[in-house]
């Protein structure tokens, strides 16, 4: 062994000298005549054979197995066969010679640039050879079966691997990115190709790859994490506790990789770590976080590769299952949504069926036959009682399930026994199948759902059965208190809700079924204990049953009012019962007080007073709950009517007898619910809205946060339905100012995020529909968009990110308003940037100027002027050069602001930078072109700035304006010339016509004379 070590050392030094010379040579240009090729010694037959194999491996991947077998034979001949004596004419090579020649070919790969296929093929071939040689050597030196200890003997393959790694480690720190990339790639490939590595090299490789993990090149970091991912899978607790003197080894490898997974700016690095980190309880939460990664390909890799390879999804927590479904099915990228749907309907259902068999790619090999029990278990595993509610993800998941599993569509059966013992999972399965078939709009699906779902009369019977069961549970809970029956109540509520959802999609042309459902809903609506969500669904279904014509709407309102009256009568019934009990107790107390044997009279009186106060308090709470229930029913009714309020006596009665008293109530919950109902009534009558608009303004000014949000929503709805209330010719100017003041106050409410978000969203809707056209409000919301204080309010930023470009590019008038406020916005933002506190960040003013210029660019208008649009012979729309008056107006305002004495240097710099990016065209108005030119000349003459870039921008603008004016004047002169030629041609045509007419008259006279002679 010492002699072998000495030989290896000399060989290593020789190889390192060759590699260093080759590296230096590779840095020089290939066209340089001073390239020095290092002396590699005389050629040999071994070198020729190995080079031929590496050369053939670069052609394609198909013949790698055959080439690996050939290279293994050469290795065995050099390492295991003894030298043959007596044959001096034959060259004999030992193991060191073979290793040197292999290292020589490997070093040749270090200069191959990334993207070259030959380099990747040669590297794959070498990794394949190392794995094959290691397996062969392991078979030769395998330990006997009875051995209790496992060891890794030193073989020719392990020595070759160590030799190559010792060379590659020195290339990891090269200054050439190509050498760093290839060396890191080969190290990672070797690590992933072998089952074991020497401990000494394990730590050296770990340190080297950790260094490359911070490389500035993303491609090198990708290869580094590919190797570290394999090492992390073998890292034991001893490695994490032992530590190292270097900072890289101070913390565990897993923690370092997780940090890179969360913070690396390259999506390729994060995706590589996602697919190569070991799946352990400590790493799984970090891996699942990539479902919210900003890169769509990374999110898709999680759903299409990681989660299918994870195994049984039931090992995940309930909340994580729901989050993964919600994030995936509602992703903005279509491929991510498809991958999530495939995961749900193919992998998760097979996990529940217990027959999942996956291939190497993670796809299900053979799908099991449809199993309804497995589907019910799947729904149970995603917590259908909570995720199946309105806004949950379960309905969307089941829509994707039915669309991709036609076998389950055929296998499912909703016979009468199915409806006798409904569970939350089974009823949701029926509801989702019904919704899916109804939404397809295909006759085949209509026939399928009519065949499998029960008819209307039967569904009414089932609904009545489960509604009665729910009412019994509710009444039993009221008598016994909340306890073990609560779960049963929740499940019963969910079942009734799903049956009502099914009833909303049915056809009520069957009169018998319609009457049965009508009577059931009428009776159900009058139950005071019914939950609010079920009440809302009952009102919605009742609206469908009554029909949408005027007579049906009146019948609907009358039925709802009758139900409200019955619910309200529960108060008087309770009062009568309580009065009877009170009178009985008072009589007993009088008799007791009159007896002489009573010795504790004052104490008994105090106890009776306490009982009376508790009874009064309970009575007040009961009354509030009943009134809230009545208002909720009225609110659901008002949300389902569209007619005129004054023409419907039931609506008038609701307003006078229920809504107005609720608004005047001293109880805050009743008053707030009454205000909401009053707002719904205002939508049905313009006069009522005009009378109560100030009331909602007062509620916003004096109310708490929740009431302010309600008031701002009501105001927005009223102004959307009745926009004429803000018209100056018909409305009150003071009222208009008050409305604008409310919205301005809401947009500035930084300390109340919900109020600010609601005010901003509603104001955007009103401005987008041209209900509000105030420039001051527009200026405030633009400033709010760039204000650093709104960074944490995602609702405000998201609404304005959509609104502002759509508002400006939708109509020319909106773009002109933005041009009017752009200078004031920039002035306010400049002042804001100067007052920023430490730690606050703001969008750069140059970027803000570019955004404002883009918003006011007339070329991006969706609807152009009539003069800018034409139609060719085929009917295709053609947009000509548009009018650039908007940017001219922006230029005038910026120049006027710049030449103002109060304008700061920083502000001037930003304004002039904006001037250099404006769109100047000859299609603009000549007067505006001349006005802007005069302002530019004045600005240049007054030398408003000494900055070279600013002067160049002004000169550029002046040149563009002069060119546009010249083109406009030339076009006007050519038009005048054409008009003159047109007049001359018209006169010539008139003279020709006269000559032709006189000639025609002469011919006519000659014909007459000829006829007379005949």
């Amino acid at each position: 062994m010492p002699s072998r070590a000495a030989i290896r050392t000399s060989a290593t030094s020789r190889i390192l000298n060759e590699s260093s010379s080759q590296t230096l040579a590779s840095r020089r240009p290939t066209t340089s005549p001073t390239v020095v090729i290092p002396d590699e010694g005389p050629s040999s037959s071994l070198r020729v054979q190995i080079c031929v194999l590496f050369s053939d491996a670069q052609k394609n991947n198909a013949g790698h197995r055959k080439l690996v077998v050939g290279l293994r034979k050469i290795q065995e001949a050099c390492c295991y066969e003894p030298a043959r004596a007596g044959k001096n004419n034959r060259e004999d090579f030992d193991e060191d010679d073979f290793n040197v020649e292999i290292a020589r070919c490997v070093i040749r790969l270090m200069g191959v640039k990334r993207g070259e296929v030959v380099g990747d093929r040669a590297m794959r071939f070498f990794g394949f050879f190392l794995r094959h040689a290691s397996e062969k050597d392991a078979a030769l030196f395998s330990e006997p079966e009875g051995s209790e200890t496992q060891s890794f003997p030193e073989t020719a393959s392990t020595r070759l691997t160590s030799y190559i790694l010792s060379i590659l480690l020195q290339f990891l720190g090269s200054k050439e990115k190509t050498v760093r990339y290839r060396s890191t790639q080969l190290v990672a490939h070797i690590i992933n190709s072998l089952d074991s590595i020497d401990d000494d090299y394990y730590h050296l490789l770990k340190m080297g790859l950790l260094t490359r993990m911070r490389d500035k090149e993303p491609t090198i970091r990708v290869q580094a994490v590919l190797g570290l991912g394999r090492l992390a899978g073998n890292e034991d607790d001893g490695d994490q506790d032992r530590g190292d003197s270097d900072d890289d080894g101070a913390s565990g490898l897993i923690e370092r990789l997780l940090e890179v997974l969360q913070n690396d700016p390259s999506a390729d690095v994060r995706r590589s770590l996602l697919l190569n980190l070991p799946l352990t309880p400590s790493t799984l939460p970090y891996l699942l976080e990539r479902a919210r990664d900003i890169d769509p390909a990374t999110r898709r890799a999680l759903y299409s590769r990681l989660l299918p390879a994870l195994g049984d999804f039931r090992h995940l927590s309930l909340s994580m299952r729901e989050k993964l479904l919600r994030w995936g099915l509602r992703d903005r990228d279509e491929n991510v949504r498809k991958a999530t749907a495939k995961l749900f309907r193919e992998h998760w259902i097979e996990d529940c069926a217990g027959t999942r068999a996956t291939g190497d790619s993670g796809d299900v090999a053979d799908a099991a036959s449809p199993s309804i029990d497995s589907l019910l278990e799947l729904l149970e595993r995603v917590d259908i009682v909570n995720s199946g509610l309105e806004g949950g993800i379960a309905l969307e998941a089941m829509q994707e399930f039915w669309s991709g599993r036609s076998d389950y569509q055929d296998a499912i059966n909703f016979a009468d026994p199915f409806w006798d013992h409904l569970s939350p999972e089974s009823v949701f399965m029926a509801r989702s199948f019904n919704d899916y078939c109804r939404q397809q709009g295909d006759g085949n699906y209509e026939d399928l759902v009519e065949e499998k779902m029960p008819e209307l009369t039967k569904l009414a019977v089932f609904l009545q059965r489960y509604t009665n069961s729910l009412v019994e549970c509710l009444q039993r809970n009221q008598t016994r208190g909340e306890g073990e029956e609560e779960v049963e109540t929740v499940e019963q509520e969910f079942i009734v809700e799903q049956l009502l959802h099914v009833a909303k999609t049915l056809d009520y042309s069957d009169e018998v079924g319609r009457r049965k459902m009508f009577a059931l809903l009428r009776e159900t609506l009058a139950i005071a204990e019914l939950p609010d969500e079920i009440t809302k669904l009952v009102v919605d279904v009742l609206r469908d049953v009554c029909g949408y014509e005027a007579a049906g709407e009146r019948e609907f309102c009358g039925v709802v009012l009758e139900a409200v009256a019955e619910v309200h009568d529960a108060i008087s019934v309770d009062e009568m019962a309580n009065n009877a009990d009170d009178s009985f107790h008072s009589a007993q107390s009088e008799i007791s007080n009159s007896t002489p044997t009573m010795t504790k009279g004052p104490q008994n009186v105090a106890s009776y007073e306490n009982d009376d106060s508790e009874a009064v308090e309970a009575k007040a709470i009961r009354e509030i709950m009943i009134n809230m229930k009545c208002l909720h029913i009225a609110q659901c009714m008002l949300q389902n009517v569209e007619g005129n309020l004054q023409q419907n006596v039931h609506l008038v009665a609701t307003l006078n007898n229920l809504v107005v008293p609720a608004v005047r109530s001293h109880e805050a919950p009743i008053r707030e619910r009454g205000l909401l109902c009053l707002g719904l009534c205002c939508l049905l009558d313009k006069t009522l809205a005009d009378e109560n608009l100030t009331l909602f303004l007062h509620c916003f000014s004096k109310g708490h946060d929740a009431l302010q949000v309600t008031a701002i929503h009501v105001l927005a709805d009223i102004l959307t339905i009745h926009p004429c209330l803000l018209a100056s010719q018909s409305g009150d100017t003071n009222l208009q100012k008050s409305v604008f003041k409310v919205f301005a106050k809401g947009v500035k409410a930084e300390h109340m995020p919900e109020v600010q978000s609601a005010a901003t969203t509603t104001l955007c809707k009103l401005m987008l529909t041209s209900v509000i056209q105030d420039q001051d409000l527009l200026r405030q919301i633009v400033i709010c968009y760039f204000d650093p204080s709104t960074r944490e309010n995602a609702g405000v930023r998201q609404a304005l990110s959509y609104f502002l470009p759509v508002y400006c590019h939708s109509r020319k008038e909106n773009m002109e308003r933005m041009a009017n406020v752009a200078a004031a916005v920039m002035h306010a933002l400049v002042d804001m940037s100067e007052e920023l506190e430490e730690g606050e960040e703001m969008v750069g003013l140059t970027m803000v100027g570019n955004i404002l210029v883009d918003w006011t660019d007339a070329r991006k208008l969706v609807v152009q002027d009539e003069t800018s649009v034409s139609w060719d012979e085929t009917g295709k729309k053609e947009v000509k050069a548009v009018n650039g008056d908007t940017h001219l107006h922006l230029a005038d305002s910026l120049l006027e602001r710049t030449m103002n004495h109060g304008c700061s240097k920083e502000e001037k710099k930003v304004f002039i930078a904006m001037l250099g990016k404006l769109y100047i065209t000859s299609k603009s108005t000549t007067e505006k072109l001349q006005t802007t030119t005069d302002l530019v000349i004045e600005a240049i003459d007054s030398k408003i700035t000494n900055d070279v870039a600013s002067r160049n921008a002004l000169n550029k603008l002046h040149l563009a304006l002069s060119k546009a004016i010249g083109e406009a004047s030339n076009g006007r002169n050519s038009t005048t010339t054409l008009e003159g030629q047109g007049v001359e041609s018209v006169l010539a045509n008139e003279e020709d016509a006269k000559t032709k007419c006189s000639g025609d008259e002469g011919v006519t006279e000659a014909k007459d004379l000829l006829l007379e002679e005949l």
Side-chain angles (χ1 to χ4, degrees), residues 549-570:
E549 63 277 0
E553 185 173 289
R554 287 193 296 270
E555 181 186 14
F556 166 71
C557 296
V559 172
V560 174
L561 279 185
E562 291 177 3
V564 170
E566 293 185 13
V567 172
H568 196 271
D569 288 342

Side-chain angles (χ1 to χ4, degrees), residues 12 44 100 242 299 333 363 376 457 472 477 506 531 621 700 771 787 847 862 913:
T12 303
S44 63
V100 168
R242 185 163 49 241
R299 301 195 300 270
D333 189 79
D363 296 334
L376 295 177
T457 306
E472 292 176 1
N477 287 338
L506 298 182
I621 293 175
F700 181 85
V771 176
D787 193 345
M847 182 178 294
V862 177

Side-chain angles (χ1 to χ4, degrees), residues 109-124:
L109 293 175
M110 296 297 102
V112 181
K113 293 185 178 180
R114 184 177 67 89
E116 293 289 342
V117 183
V118 293
D120 298 333
R121 289 173 180 171
M123 205 160 293
R124 191 178 297 109

Side-chain angles (χ1 to χ4, degrees), residues 171-410:
F171 287 119
L172 291 178
S174 174
K175 295 182 179 181
E176 291 291 335
K177 63 179 181 179
T178 301
V179 177
R180 293 200 311 274
Y181 170 75
R182 287 299 179 184
S183 59
T184 309
Q185 182 188 25
L186 186 54
V187 168
H189 193 68
I190 293 174
I191 292 174
N192 286 279
S193 299
L194 302 179
D195 295 331
S196 61
I197 297 179
D198 186 77
D199 290 340
D200 297 334
Y201 283 101
Y202 173 85
H203 293 288
L204 292 175
L205 292 174
K206 176 182 173 181
M207 301 303 298
L209 292 179
L210 281 174
T211 304
R212 288 306 100 214
M213 194 174 63
R214 296 195 299 265
D215 198 280
K216 63 181 180 180
E217 296 294 332
T219 55
I220 300 176
R221 298 201 302 271
V222 169
Q223 300 301 323
V225 299
L226 287 177
L228 290 172
R230 177 67 186 276
L231 295 180
N234 299 324
E235 185 185 46
D236 51 37
D237 296 335
D239 292 332
Q240 297 183 10
D241 298 336
R242 185 163 49 241
D244 199 283
S245 59
D246 197 337
D247 294 337
D248 292 334
S251 59
L253 179 58
I254 293 291
E255 287 74 8
R256 303 296 299 273
L257 293 177
L258 292 177
E259 181 183 358
V260 173
L261 178 65
Q262 290 181 313
N263 303 316
D264 197 281
S266 174
D268 295 332
V269 176
R270 299 194 303 272
R271 193 182 316 118
S272 301
L273 268 179
L274 175 69
L275 301 176
N276 288 277
L277 272 178
L279 296 175
T280 62
S282 60
T283 60
L284 187 59
Y286 297 93
L287 296 175
L288 297 180
E289 280 182 358
R290 293 304 95 199
R292 307 299 289 168
D293 197 278
I294 61 175
D295 179 54
T298 304
R299 301 195 300 270
R300 181 173 178 269
L302 173 72
Y303 286 100
S304 62
R305 298 180 62 181
L306 179 67
L307 289 178
L310 184 60
D312 197 336
F313 80 100
R314 289 173 288 189
H315 295 161
L316 298 174
S317 64
L318 187 61
S319 60
M320 184 54 66
R321 299 173 208 160
E322 192 272 337
K323 287 180 180 179
L324 288 174
L325 280 179
R326 176 159 44 87
W327 293 339
L329 292 177
R330 294 178 180 175
D331 196 277
R332 67 174 66 92
D333 189 79
E334 184 180 1
N335 293 326
V336 179
R337 297 195 298 268
K338 290 181 179 179
T340 309
K342 183 178 180 181
L343 174 73
F344 180 77
R345 65 173 176 250
E346 293 185 7
H347 296 278
W348 286 14
I349 186 66
E350 299 301 329
D351 289 339
C352 294
T355 58
R356 176 177 175 184
T358 56
D360 297 336
S361 61
D363 296 334
V364 178
D366 294 321
S369 59
S371 173
I372 303 302
D373 294 336
S374 302
L375 180 56
L376 295 177
E377 182 185 355
L378 176 60
L379 293 175
E380 182 183 0
R381 296 292 183 179
V382 296
D383 190 17
I384 199 62
V385 176
N386 293 317
S387 61
L389 298 176
E390 197 71 22
I393 195 59
L395 186 60
E396 299 177 29
M398 287 304 297
Q399 297 293 319
E400 297 292 343
F401 179 86
W402 294 119
S403 64
R405 297 302 296 265
S406 57
D407 52 345
Y408 274 85
Q409 297 178 16
D410 300 333

Side-chain angles (χ1 to χ4, degrees), residues 119-138:
D120 298 333
R121 289 173 180 171
M123 205 160 293
R124 191 178 297 109
F125 164 73
F126 181 66
F128 188 13
F129 165 72
L130 287 181
R131 182 168 64 251
H132 177 74
S134 300
E135 293 173 356
K136 291 294 184 180
D137 288 342

